[in-house]
Amino acid sequence: GVGLLFEKLPLSLEALEFEVNGSDGLSDAGLSAVAQKLPIGLKTLILNFEKNDSIGDEGLGALGRQLPETLTTFRIRSELPAQVSDSGLSALVGHLPQQLRTLELRFSGRMNSFQPRPLITDVGVSAIAEKLPSKLQILLLDGSDCMVGNAGMAALGKGLPGSLHTLNLYFSRCCAAKDDEDSGSECGGDGAGE
C-alpha cells in the first residue's frame, strides 16, 4: 500500500502532506520505508498521525535521518498513545536541514493507566533546542501531557535562533515551570525520560 505509493512519487515533488488515521495505518517500519522514499527536492513535508499508537521512537529516528536537505517546512502531528519519548524526539531533530524555516512538532494526548507518566520531558525539549536550524523563522511545539519544567524552558530559550519571528508553545497538562530560576521544576523525578 503506502510503500508502493511512495516508490512512485516523482522526484520533482516539492510538497507532500500525508495523513494516517488509526493504528492500522502505519507502523515504525512503514514510516521508515516512507522516509527512505522521500523525494530529494522536497520543500514541504506535513505528516499527521491521528490516534496512532504504532509510531514511536524508531520510526521518528528513521524519518529524521532521511529528511531532505531542501526541506523548508516540516510539520508532524501525532496524538498519543503513540510511543514517542525523548529518545524519538532527539533522533527526529538530530538531522534537521539547515534550510528549515518552519518547524511544527505536535505530540499530544492523555496519560492513561497503560502510560502513567509523560514520555516527553525536559530532555526532549532540550534536544530540540540544541538542534534548531539557524535560519528557523517559525517554531511551534505542542507537548500536552508532558513533563517539561524550568530546565526544558531554559534550554529552549538559549537555543532559539535570532532569525525566529514566530514562537508558539503549548504545554497544557504538563508539570508546572515556576517563574523564579531558583525554585526548580515541579515535575518530580529527574526528567530523564526513557
Side-chain angles (χ1 to χ4, degrees):
V2 173
L4 294 174
L5 168 67
F6 276 79
E7 283 181 17
K8 303 296 182 184
L9 290 178
L11 295 176
S12 61
L13 192 68
E14 292 185 358
L16 174 63
E17 183 169 353
F18 183 62
E19 181 171 333
V20 177
N21 212 337
S23 296
D24 296 333
L26 197 64
S27 64
D28 276 342
L31 185 56
S32 296
V34 164
Q36 292 175 6
K37 302 298 181 186
L38 292 176
I40 59 172
L42 197 63
K43 293 181 180 177
T44 299
L45 178 59
I46 301 170
L47 301 173
N48 194 354
F49 306 119
E50 298 288 329
K51 300 175 186 152
N52 188 322
D53 61 359
S54 300
I55 293 178
D57 293 342
E58 184 180 322
L60 291 182
L63 177 63
R65 289 186 297 276
Q66 298 294 325
L67 291 175
E69 284 300 315
T70 54
L71 206 61
T72 58
T73 299
F74 179 42
R75 295 181 175 129
I76 186 166
R77 179 179 182 161
S78 178
E79 285 192 11
L80 295 178
Q83 297 303 309
V84 177
S85 72
D86 291 333
S87 298
L89 281 180
S90 296
L92 177 65
V93 300
H95 303 280
L96 289 176
Q98 287 304 304
Q99 299 302 314
L100 199 65
R101 302 292 189 273
T102 300
L103 176 62
E104 294 185 14
L105 301 175
R106 295 177 182 259
F107 296 99
S108 60
R110 297 197 184 274
M111 292 181 282
N112 56 47
S113 60
F114 300 106
Q115 182 178 300
R117 66 186 190 103
L119 298 175
I120 298 172
T121 70
D122 287 339
V123 173
V125 173
S126 296
I128 293 168
E130 289 174 16
K131 299 296 183 176
L132 292 175
S134 61
K135 297 178 182 179
L136 193 68
Q137 296 174 352
I138 300 170
L139 175 63
L140 182 145
L141 297 178
D142 180 348
S144 300
D145 284 323
C146 61
M147 189 177 278
V148 177
N150 287 343
M153 291 297 116
L156 187 58
K158 289 178 187 173
L160 294 176
S163 59
L164 196 71
H165 62 74
T166 301
L167 176 63
N168 294 307
L169 301 174
Y170 302 99
F171 292 111
S172 61
R173 298 182 309 272
C174 290
C175 66
K178 292 187 177 183
D179 287 337
D180 82 50
E181 294 177 20
D182 297 328
S183 62
S185 173
E186 291 183 359
C187 293
D190 61 6
E194 293 289 316

